[in-house]
Amino acid sequence: MATVSVNVPPEICPEVPAFTLWSELVEQQERGESFIQRFLRGKYSTLEVKTLATNWSLEALVCQFAVPGEDQAAREIRNANREVYLQGIEDLEQLWEREYAHAFKSAVKSATGARGLDKKRLERAREHYLAMKGAPPIFDIDPPNGDQYWVSARECQQEKLVPFMNRAKVDRLRTYEGYFTKDMVASHYNTIMNIVDIR
C-alpha cells in the first residue's frame, strides 16, 4: 500500500492568448476584470502545472532507487508510491486537456455568430486553445553534469522546482515581467489613456 498521496488541482485557468488585445476582450466590460489579471492567472496555472508535473516526475524517479537494507514489504511500498506519482501526472495531463478542450469548444461556439473583430479574436483564441490542449507542461530537466541519467535519489531531490508562490518576490516579479511585450502594455493603456497601440 502506498504511503503518499498527490493533490491534483480541481481546475486550472486556461491562458488568455498573449496576442489578444486588452481592448478586444468583450468580457472586460461585462466582468469588470482587466486583461492583465486574466493573462497572469492563466500563466500562474501553467507554472503550477509545470511545477507539479516536474516534481512528481522526480519523486517517481526517486522511487526507482533501492534503499539499502530494505525488505520486500518496503520495496512494494516504494513501487506503490511510484505508481501514485505516475497516476498524479496522468491525472494532471487529463485536467489540462479537459480545461483547454472546454475553452476551445467555448471559443468555437462563440465564434459561430460573431462578426468583425469579435470573430477574429475568437478565431485566434480557438487556435491558441487547440495548440495548448495538446501541449501540457512536461518534465524536461536534464540530469546533472551531462550524465545520461540520475545516479541517486539525492540528485533527483535537488532538481525539484520551488512552487511559484514560495519563490522570492523578486523572482516572481521577474517571471511576470518576462511575459509582457511593449505592444501588450501599449494596448492595455490604449483603452485608458488613448496611447496609440504600436501594432
Side-chain angles (χ1 to χ4, degrees):
M1 177 178 236
T3 60
V4 299
S5 64
V6 297
N7 294 317
V8 178
E11 61 182 15
I12 60 171
C13 296
E15 291 185 19
V16 174
F19 45 75
T20 298
L21 298 179
W22 184 86
S23 57
E24 290 178 356
L25 294 177
V26 174
E27 58 269 27
Q28 167 67 32
Q29 291 81 18
E30 296 170 357
R31 297 173 63 186
E33 180 179 36
S34 84
F35 163 69
I36 289 178
Q37 287 174 323
R38 270 192 77 197
F39 179 76
L40 292 181
R41 197 160 45 246
K43 285 294 184 183
Y44 171 75
S45 281
T46 296
L47 289 169
E48 184 181 23
V49 170
K50 175 72 171 180
T51 299
L52 291 175
T54 298
N55 289 351
W56 292 345
S57 296
L58 288 166
E59 287 291 354
L61 284 170
V62 167
C63 291
Q64 291 182 334
F65 292 101
V67 177
E70 73 179 345
D71 58 11
Q72 181 62 28
R75 192 166 28 258
E76 289 175 4
I77 289 173
R78 186 166 46 83
N79 289 332
N81 288 346
R82 182 174 185 271
E83 291 304 316
V84 168
Y85 288 119
L86 294 176
Q87 184 61 52
I89 295 165
E90 187 176 319
D91 292 346
L92 197 60
E93 289 174 351
Q94 289 174 357
L95 170 67
W96 177 275
E97 185 174 341
R98 187 170 58 245
E99 294 287 350
Y100 276 99
H102 175 71
F104 172 76
K105 288 176 186 173
S106 178
V108 168
K109 183 178 177 183
S110 298
T112 303
R115 302 182 72 178
L117 183 59
D118 280 343
K119 185 172 185 68
K120 196 66 175 170
R121 173 182 62 84
L122 289 164
E123 287 173 353
R124 290 188 311 216
R126 181 188 64 204
E127 298 309 313
H128 174 73
Y129 292 138
L130 182 62
M132 293 292 283
K133 182 173 84 79
I138 57 169
F139 171 68
D140 61 358
I141 296 176
D142 293 324
N145 304 318
D147 294 334
Q148 295 291 322
Y149 51 86
W150 281 269
V151 297
S152 71
R154 185 170 182 250
E155 280 187 351
C156 294
Q157 295 288 5
Q158 290 175 337
E159 297 292 331
K160 287 176 105 176
L161 300 178
V162 176
F164 186 71
M165 293 312 291
N166 292 354
R167 299 176 194 175
K169 183 177 180 181
V170 67
D171 292 334
R172 296 197 310 267
L173 289 173
R174 193 175 298 122
T175 299
Y176 279 147
E177 286 170 357
Y179 292 137
F180 290 100
T181 61
K182 290 177 181 177
D183 59 334
M184 284 176 64
V185 175
S187 176
H188 175 77
Y189 286 109
N190 180 42
T191 304
I192 300 171
M193 301 174 63
N194 294 322
I195 294 175
V196 176
D197 189 321
I198 64 172
R199 294 200 302 183

